[in-house]
């Protein structure tokens, strides 16, 4: 059985839904669909999920979401009209959702209704059974998947031809709970694992996962095959075709993922598997993400006294900030945090506390950094790509803030000033892929 997830742009209007129906009809194994809320139809358009977040805000501030919600109504009724489907059921559901948002049902409830309503609409269009994600997916308070999920899915999805809304499940207290943005990828991955799918198809509006962001990097092209771990390491530094957390359930179950383009369904897209057939290809992609702050701490014997490291990491975590990357030397440690998660005040407090409690030799922070990642399982065998990349930055006169390679043996991380980010990715790309 193939589990298919269709993203927001694939289900944005009636024409897109016709393509979805055609794609599904071409392979009888495509039996379970996970769908996003209608996304953008053009650059200026607004995603239904964003309208729903705005509806929830309007209900909180003005006591009514009527005006913003009118746009949500228009989107769904417009699609039904274009597909020449009866709208009476949808009108009832829309009324109920509007009432509940006004009554303070909360942000997660409001945001989840784009997927909920769209799945209902698509189940009418396909004549397939709608199954609410609340019946299937239980999300723990910390955002991880609750173990009950697997049995719930197995029992409820014992047949075929189901339409399931992505992006949410229920909390331990039986309330609607959403994943982070783009989370329908995670829903699809959970369902694929739960039903033991032979393949998880992730349908989007691009030709696959690219070896660099094609919007900015001249010459970027889709990667035919990559491993689960390569996808994760590339998505941590900004490659956005697939949600980084969505890899985990299918990876655990060894189910291949195929990223496909709804607008060109014959193209092969990107296959994501445990191993690559061409494991000798050193690198498969490069990506860069801006918006990082680096905190560096130096103290002689820092790592020889393990208690210091443990306390340091717990202080950082107790302040609600989790490092994305950590580089460690015997007497120094540096952490990279998303800048939006760490205010100047927090950094200053942290600094004072660490100096007072641990007699730190020096502690510094630097904002406006970008982290570039060059990823590939073959880097270990052919490390020449590391040298090529560093030389390319030197030739382009781009200052390197820090370099790290080793822990996973498949990613070279380089931090540079944010202003140099794009140029740095382009020069590393040119050195390795042209
Ligand atoms: N609709 C949600 C979002 O816009 C989730 C998703 O599309 O995966 O983030």
């Amino acid at each position: 059985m193939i589990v298919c997830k269709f993203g927001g742009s694939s289900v944005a209007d009636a024409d897109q839904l016709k393509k979805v129906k055609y794609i599904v009809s071409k392979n009888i194994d495509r039996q379970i669909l996970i769908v996003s809320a209608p996304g953008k139809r053009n650059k200026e358009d607004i995603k239904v999920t964003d309208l729903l977040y705005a509806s929830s805000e309007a209900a909180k501030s003005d006591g009514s979401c009527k005006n913003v919600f009118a746009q949500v109504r228009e989107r769904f009724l417009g699609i039904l009209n274009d597909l020449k489907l009866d709208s009476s059921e949808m009108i009832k559901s829309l009324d109920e959702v509007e009432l509940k948002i006004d009554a303070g049902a909360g942000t997660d409830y409001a945001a989840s209704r784009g997927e909920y309503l769209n799945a209902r609409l698509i189940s009418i269009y396909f004549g397939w059974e709608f199954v609410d994600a609340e019946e299937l997916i239980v999300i723990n308070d910390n955002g991880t998947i609750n173990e009950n999920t697997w049995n719930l899915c197995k029992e409820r999805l014992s047949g075929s031809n189901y339409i399931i809304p992505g992006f949410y499940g229920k909390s331990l207290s039986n309330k609607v709970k959403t994943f982070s943005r783009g989370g329908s990828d995670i829903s699809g991955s959970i369902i694929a694992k739960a039903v033991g799918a032979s393949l998880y198809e992730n349908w989007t509006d691009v030709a696959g996962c690219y070896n660099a962001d094609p919007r900015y990097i001249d010459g970027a092209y889709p990667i035919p095959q990559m491993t689960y771990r390569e996808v994760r390491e590339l998505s941590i530094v900004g490659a956005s075709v697939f949600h980084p957390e969505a890899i985990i359930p299918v990876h655990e179950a060894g189910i291949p993922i195929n990223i496909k383009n709804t607008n060109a369904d014959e193209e092969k897209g990107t296959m994501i598997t445990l191993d690559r057939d061409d494991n000798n290809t050193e690198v498969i992609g490069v990506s860069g993400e801006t918006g990082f702050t680096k905190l560096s701490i130096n103290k002689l014997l820092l790592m020889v006294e393990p208690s210091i490291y443990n306390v340091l990491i717990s202080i950082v975590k107790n302040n609600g900030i989790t490092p994305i990357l950590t580089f460690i030397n015997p007497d120094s440690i540096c952490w990279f945090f998303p800048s939006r998660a760490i205010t100047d005040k927090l950094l200053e407090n942290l600094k004072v506390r660490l100096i007072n409690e641990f007699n730190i030799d020096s502690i510094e922070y630097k904002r406006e950094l970008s982290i570039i990642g060059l990823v590939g399982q073959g880097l270990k065998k052919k490390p020449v790509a590391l040298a090529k990349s560093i030389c390319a930055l030197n030739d382009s006169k781009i200052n390197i803030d820090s370099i790290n390679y080793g822990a996973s043996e498949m990613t070279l991380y380089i931090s540079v000033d944010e202003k140099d980010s794009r140029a740095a990715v382009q020069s590393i790309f040119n050195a390795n892929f042209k």
Side-chain angles (χ1 to χ4, degrees):
M1 181 199 297
I2 302 175
V3 167
C4 306
K5 177 256 166 177
F6 286 92
S9 54
S10 303
V11 289
D13 61 22
D15 284 341
Q16 290 301 90
L17 287 180
K18 286 178 191 163
K19 288 183 198 165
V20 170
K21 198 168 189 183
Y22 169 71
I23 289 168
V24 173
S25 74
K26 277 172 94 175
N27 189 338
I28 198 166
D29 289 336
R30 294 182 174 130
Q31 292 174 2
I32 298 185
L33 309 193
I34 287 76
V35 296
S36 285
K40 290 188 179 196
R41 294 160 292 186
N42 50 57
K43 261 193 173 167
E44 290 70 41
D45 205 11
I46 306 176
K47 289 180 177 186
V48 164
T49 307
D50 289 317
L51 292 171
L52 288 162
Y53 278 117
S55 299
S56 174
E57 284 308 307
K60 272 185 222 154
S61 57
D62 314 335
S64 164
C65 66
K66 198 173 182 50
N67 289 342
V68 196
F69 195 77
Q71 297 176 64
V72 176
R73 240 174 227 285
E74 205 184 290
R75 283 292 292 270
F76 284 109
L77 295 179
I79 298 174
L80 280 166
N81 188 42
D82 292 343
L83 293 173
K84 303 195 176 21
L85 294 169
D86 178 51
S87 55
S88 49
E89 280 304 310
M90 185 56 65
I91 292 173
K92 270 193 227 153
S93 300
L94 286 161
D95 289 345
E96 187 191 320
V97 170
E98 185 177 337
L99 268 177
K100 283 200 176 164
I101 296 177
D102 279 350
T107 311
D108 280 25
Y109 171 81
S112 71
R113 293 305 91 179
E115 272 70 13
Y116 170 84
L117 293 165
N118 213 21
R120 290 219 93 108
L121 187 156
I122 295 168
S123 90
I124 299 172
Y125 179 46
F126 272 63
W128 286 18
E129 185 181 351
F130 165 86
V131 184
D132 198 342
E134 278 186 81
E135 289 179 57
L136 304 170
I137 298 175
V138 187
I139 307 172
N140 293 323
D141 292 344
N142 65 2
T144 54
I145 319 296
N146 185 279
E147 282 304 309
N148 289 336
T149 300
W150 312 113
N151 276 339
L152 287 172
C153 289
K154 264 185 214 134
E155 278 163 24
R156 184 65 184 81
L157 305 175
S158 55
S160 58
N161 296 1
Y162 300 113
I163 309 283
I164 302 168
F167 188 40
Y168 70 93
K170 69 173 177 189
S171 68
L172 296 174
S173 50
N174 284 326
K175 292 214 171 94
V176 171
K177 187 168 167 65
T178 55
F179 292 115
S180 52
R181 293 300 301 265
S184 300
D185 286 348
I186 309 175
S187 313
S189 179
I190 293 170
I191 304 294
K193 176 181 171 185
V195 301
S198 56
L199 178 66
Y200 174 32
E201 285 182 343
N202 197 282
W203 291 86
T204 172
D205 57 358
V206 288
C209 192
Y210 279 70
N211 58 356
D213 190 333
R215 290 171 301 175
Y216 313 117
I217 303 303
D218 196 24
Y221 52 87
I223 306 164
Q225 191 184 15
M226 56 199 299
T227 68
Y228 300 118
R229 293 195 58 205
E230 285 171 336
V231 176
R232 258 195 72 71
E233 302 231 347
L234 207 54
S235 58
I236 285 164
V237 282
S240 63
V241 181
F242 198 66
H243 194 296
E245 286 167 42
I247 284 290
I248 297 154
V250 274
H251 185 180
E252 283 165 354
I255 299 167
I257 308 165
N258 193 1
I259 312 266
K260 298 267 289 175
N261 186 355
T262 304
N263 304 318
D265 69 295
E266 291 295 340
E267 284 173 7
K268 286 199 162 66
T270 300
M271 276 307 283
I272 303 168
T273 46
L274 193 58
D275 269 315
R276 270 195 279 129
D277 300 335
D278 59 341
N279 249 339
N280 283 335
T281 313
E282 59 262 52
V283 284
I284 49 105
V286 54
S287 184
E289 178 87 308
T290 53
F292 287 101
T293 294
K294 181 173 84 168
L295 182 67
S296 319
I297 296 168
N298 298 298
K299 178 177 166 56
L300 290 178
L301 301 178
L302 180 72
M303 292 311 289
V304 179
E305 294 176 44
S307 62
I308 299 188
Y309 173 74
N310 291 341
V311 177
L312 282 176
I313 195 84
S314 66
I315 290 180
V316 168
K317 289 208 167 160
N318 290 344
N319 276 285
I321 44 175
T322 310
I324 297 269
L325 284 177
T326 306
F327 301 163
I328 300 179
N329 282 3
D331 294 339
S332 332
I333 180 163
C334 89
W335 281 298
F336 287 85
F337 303 96
S339 298
R340 62 184 135 65
I342 186 160
T343 59
D344 282 347
K345 197 171 160 216
L346 191 59
L347 279 167
E348 284 304 329
N349 288 346
L350 214 58
K351 219 171 146 174
V352 171
R353 194 163 161 209
L354 292 174
I355 290 171
N356 290 345
E357 284 182 31
F358 299 107
N359 208 7
I360 299 286
D361 297 338
S362 76
I363 170 164
E364 281 157 23
Y365 62 89
K366 191 169 174 191
R367 285 197 173 278
E368 293 177 13
L369 287 172
S370 167
I371 303 177
I372 320 282
L374 176 71
V375 179
Q377 249 171 225
L379 262 181
K380 192 181 167 188
K381 285 187 207 150
K382 292 192 187 167
V384 68
L386 305 175
K388 278 197 272 184
S389 305
I390 294 163
C391 289
L393 292 180
N394 187 49
D395 292 347
S396 307
K397 306 208 168 10
I398 294 172
N399 269 335
I400 296 175
D401 168 74
S402 65
I403 299 181
N404 186 279
Y405 169 74
S408 73
E409 298 183 324
M410 69 162 81
T411 303
L412 167 69
Y413 289 113
I414 299 180
S415 60
V416 298
D417 283 349
E418 250 173 22
K419 64 172 176 35
D420 295 328
S421 183
R422 253 182 228 176
V425 175
Q426 184 76 63
S427 31
I428 294 176
F429 179 85
N430 294 348
N432 289 286
F433 297 98
K434 276 194 165 172

